[in-house]
């Protein structure tokens, strides 16, 4: 049995709670903006699942690590601070696993994109674009998942070195990410390779938030009793 707290009790916190198997997890606390974990944590849980906001996530991670709590972090929009978060986790000797996207389907999609990138490296006639669409309440832009896709493409395609997201860039070595915000879209990512002759589209479409919640709970089982800083996409096939 894993004692679990939910830090951030919005759409994702509630979805996770709704699918928890009581044979595996006991929810011992739920924290939100009106009930901050740093002020109200009483009993130490085994694992915290953190889905809050880009503005609050780092403070929550630091507080939880300082209390010796292992963390599954789903909040996006903080990856420019990944090195300092890693240092926090190492300082307190806790366990931490994060993902821009906990759905197994997206993690399979990442592997497919990686393979496609190796092929596309050999065919310079193809342009490469990413499009991501999410609901209108999403705070960060582009999505963490779109940034990961861009990273994978840049890793293998030598003619691409960066991505641009605010304005389409005319620079040949840049991958453009177009972000769209449309009511009720859970999460859609497309990678489009286009030549004069044809167009190849790879697409992942999340039908609901269940996939993210299932992945986050898998990650909670993985990180229970472990130390170290992990990215879910590196470890998901082993769990
Ligand atoms: N990694 C993934 O698989 C995945 C999937 C979906 C969403 N997300 C990300 O997770 C985050 C949350 O998404 P959501 O759809 O649940 O958002 P949401 O807006 O529905 O919920 C966020 C919650 O965080 C709470 N919050 C604000 N400040 C807080 C604080 N200091 N401590 C604790 N809680 C606080 C808010 O009150 C709110 O209830 C976003 O960053 C989103 O991009 C990640």
């Amino acid at each position: 049995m894993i004692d679990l707290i939910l830090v951030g009790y919005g759409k994702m916190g509630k979805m996770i709670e709704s699918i928890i198997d009581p044979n595996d997890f006991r929810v011992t606390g739920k924290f939100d903006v009106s009930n901050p974990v740093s002020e109200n944590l009483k009993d130490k849980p085994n694992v915290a699942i953190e889905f809050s906001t880009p503005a609050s996530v780092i403070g929550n991670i630091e507080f939880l690590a300082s209390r010796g709590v292992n963390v599954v972090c789903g909040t996006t929009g903080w990856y420019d601070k990944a090195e300092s978060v890693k240092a926090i986790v190492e300082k307190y000797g806790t366990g931490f696993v994060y993902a821009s996207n906990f759905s197994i389907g997206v993690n399979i999609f990442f592997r497919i994109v990686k393979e496609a990138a190796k092929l596309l490296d050999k065919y310079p006639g193809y342009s490469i674009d990413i499009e991501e669409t999410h609901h209108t309440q999403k705070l960060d832009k582009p999505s963490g998942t779109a940034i990961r896709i861009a990273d994978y493409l840049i890793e293998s395609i030598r003619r691409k070195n960066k991505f641009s997201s605010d304005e389409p860039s005319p620079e040949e070595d840049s991958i453009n990410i177009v972000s769209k915000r449309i009511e009720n879209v859970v999460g859609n990512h497309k990678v489009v390779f286009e030549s004069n002759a044809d167009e190849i589209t790879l697409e992942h479409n999340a039908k609901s938030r269940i996939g993210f919640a299932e992945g986050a709970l898998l990650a909670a089982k993985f990180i229970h009793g472990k130390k170290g800083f992990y990215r879910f996409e590196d470890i998901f096939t082993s769990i």
Side-chain angles (χ1 to χ4, degrees):
M1 180 66 68
I2 299 173
D3 282 350
L4 186 74
I5 59 170
L6 299 171
V7 179
Y9 191 57
K11 290 183 281 300
M12 280 307 301
K14 290 183 178 119
M15 176 58 78
I16 290 164
E17 183 183 38
S18 75
I19 65 159
I20 273 176
D21 182 342
N23 295 313
D24 294 334
F25 295 101
R26 178 169 46 210
V27 179
T28 60
K30 297 179 228 174
F31 301 91
D32 214 331
V33 67
S34 56
N35 174 30
V37 66
S38 56
E39 291 169 27
N40 297 317
L41 183 69
K42 298 205 170 56
D43 301 320
K44 184 183 154 191
N46 301 116
V47 178
I49 300 190
E50 213 281 355
F51 277 86
S52 66
T53 63
S56 56
V57 60
I58 303 288
N60 287 336
I61 292 170
E62 183 147 29
F63 169 77
L64 292 162
S66 75
R67 291 296 172 91
V69 179
N70 284 1
V71 175
V72 172
C73 182
T75 305
T76 51
W78 57 271
Y79 304 132
D80 53 333
K81 302 188 186 75
E83 279 309 309
S84 52
V85 168
K86 189 171 181 215
I88 291 169
V89 170
E90 285 168 355
K91 174 176 161 195
Y92 292 107
T94 52
F96 183 87
V97 55
Y98 75 100
S100 60
N101 198 310
F102 274 106
S103 97
I104 297 295
V106 155
N107 284 277
I108 293 169
F109 187 71
F110 284 154
R111 304 275 172 118
I112 293 168
V113 168
K114 256 173 131 165
E115 286 307 308
K118 286 181 206 155
L119 279 170
L120 266 295
D121 180 46
K122 301 189 179 82
Y123 298 98
Y126 282 87
S127 65
I128 301 164
D129 292 284
I130 299 172
E131 184 184 301
E132 59 100 351
T133 309
H134 284 84
H135 53 88
T136 48
Q137 298 92 50
K138 185 164 176 64
L139 296 178
D140 52 324
K141 198 157 90 168
S143 68
T145 303
I147 294 172
R148 262 335 269 143
I149 291 169
D151 288 344
Y152 281 134
L153 295 168
I154 290 163
E155 227 168 78
S156 292
I157 302 177
R158 281 166 292 180
R159 63 185 182 279
K160 299 292 180 187
N161 296 312
K162 56 186 186 243
F163 70 84
S164 87
S165 51
D166 296 329
E167 298 271 313
S169 166
E171 291 174 287
E172 286 289 309
D173 69 341
S174 186
I175 295 174
N176 289 319
I177 305 180
V178 174
S179 296
K180 296 183 176 173
R181 296 293 172 259
I182 299 173
E183 210 55 60
N184 297 327
V185 176
V186 176
N188 180 285
H189 292 88
K190 283 184 198 156
V191 187
V192 182
F193 307 108
E194 189 175 354
S195 74
N196 288 335
D198 54 15
E199 185 176 306
I200 305 164
T201 302
L202 303 178
E203 177 172 4
H204 178 275
N205 188 48
K207 294 198 238 169
S208 80
R209 292 184 175 80
I210 278 192
F212 311 135
E214 286 173 345
L217 287 167
L218 269 181
K221 284 186 186 168
F222 166 81
I223 205 67
H224 177 216
K226 272 203 191 64
K227 288 182 181 190
F229 184 82
Y230 302 90
R231 213 166 51 175
F232 185 67
E233 62 205 67
D234 298 329
I235 50 117
F236 84 101
T237 48
S238 67
I239 57 174

